[in-house]
Amino acid sequence: MNRARYLRAPLIVLTLAMFLLPPLWLLASSLKSSKAIFAWPPQLLPTSPTLENFRAAISQDNFGLYFQNSLFVAVASAALSVLISLMAGYALAKFRFKGETVIFLIIMSALMIPLQIILIPIFIILKELHLLNTLWGLILAPAATPTGVFIMRQYIRSIPDSLLEAARIDGTPEWRIFLRIIVPLSIPAIAALAAFTFVWRWNDYLWPYLLITDQSKWTVQLALANNVGQWDINWPRLLAMSVLSVIPTLVLFISLQRYFMSGLLSGATKE
């Protein structure tokens, strides 16, 4: 017992160091000059911090446009994914119909299918819909996810049926029950799913790489990859761009962190 107590503090410090050192190193290196980044012995903190790398990153051609494209794709994907998952989760959680369990199992089985297997069929569908090389192609392809449906179904199951039955007895239409009862009571799950979907789409590289060929429709991740040249890499500018690309997801997680645990776990803890 005592030995476990003595080991707890070093393990906590070691775990925190493993998670915090990479982003701290990234931030510190983005404030260094090119010469200081490769100095030996290496220094964690910059001796002469400079914002020149951030000026170079922001002034790079179309970086603001790439940022805007990523923001549009991530926000629209999160909104669409939440809407679809919320409606599907409500139907699977509160309605009893023939084949309900089978449909849910089919949706869940999609979790075991690797993305690489369905890339070609989805690519062909998007081509037939003339959505290649468009931002809406990036948004619509991953709009409905089994993970989102599972999270919303589990959370909505925790909402008491008596609330819905009372509203139905009063003659409330089903769409009003959905908007006035289900949506407000599902805010923690909605916030958690929206945050995770935003981060998935913001950090996505494979789909934009496959679908987008027009440089004016690049996302931030494509812009970062494009800064890795075959013979040379501008490390200070690349590190500054990486720091800038992290800011939206960091702000989102900090602002919604109070919803995460309640949104993901309440379905497992409530009746």
Side-chain angles (χ1 to χ4, degrees), residues 148-176:
V149 174
F150 176 75
I151 291 174
M152 297 312 304
R153 176 185 181 269
Q154 295 305 106
Y155 190 89
I156 293 174
R157 279 168 62 93
S158 67
I159 298 175
D161 292 336
S162 56
L163 286 177
L164 310 184
E165 294 301 329
R168 286 168 184 151
I169 291 173
D170 290 340
T172 307
E174 205 62 44
W175 64 269
R176 191 182 292 272

Side-chain angles (χ1 to χ4, degrees), residues 28 72 94-95 126-127 142 153 168 203 210 225 235 256 269:
F72 174 72
K94 295 301 182 184
F95 290 90
L126 292 176
K127 182 181 178 182
R153 176 185 181 269
R168 286 168 184 151
N203 292 329
L210 292 176
W235 284 106
L256 297 179
T269 56

Side-chain angles (χ1 to χ4, degrees), residues 61-172:
D61 291 343
N62 292 330
F63 185 68
L65 177 62
Y66 305 147
F67 216 85
Q68 180 181 331
N69 290 341
S70 282
L71 199 61
F72 174 72
V73 170
V75 171
S77 294
L80 194 59
S81 178
V82 166
L83 178 63
I84 294 174
S85 301
L86 193 59
M87 292 190 294
Y90 177 46
L92 292 171
K94 295 301 182 184
F95 290 90
R96 298 294 171 262
F97 50 89
K98 189 176 181 180
E100 164 206 351
T101 304
V102 175
I103 293 174
F104 180 66
L105 290 177
I106 291 175
I107 294 174
M108 289 300 97
S109 64
L111 287 171
M112 295 181 288
I113 301 176
L115 174 63
Q116 291 77 5
I117 292 180
I118 59 176
L119 277 179
I120 294 178
I122 294 179
F123 186 89
I124 294 174
I125 293 173
L126 292 176
K127 182 181 178 182
E128 295 298 323
L129 295 174
H130 303 287
L131 288 174
L132 293 182
N133 204 26
T134 66
L135 295 182
W136 280 106
L138 300 178
I139 295 169
L140 295 176
T145 62
T147 304
V149 174
F150 176 75
I151 291 174
M152 297 312 304
R153 176 185 181 269
Q154 295 305 106
Y155 190 89
I156 293 174
R157 279 168 62 93
S158 67
I159 298 175
D161 292 336
S162 56
L163 286 177
L164 310 184
E165 294 301 329
R168 286 168 184 151
I169 291 173
D170 290 340
T172 307

Side-chain angles (χ1 to χ4, degrees), residues 203-217:
N203 292 329
D204 194 9
Y205 172 76
L206 184 58
W207 271 117
Y209 179 74
L210 292 176
L211 299 186
I212 301 298
T213 55
D214 185 354
Q215 189 169 346
S216 66
K217 295 171 183 171

Side-chain angles (χ1 to χ4, degrees), residues 16-32 43-46 243:
L16 288 176
M18 290 175 60
F19 280 95
L20 292 180
L21 274 180
L24 289 178
W25 177 87
L26 174 65
L27 178 60
S29 298
S30 67
L31 297 172
K32 297 177 182 177
Q43 295 178 338
L44 179 61
L45 298 178
V243 171

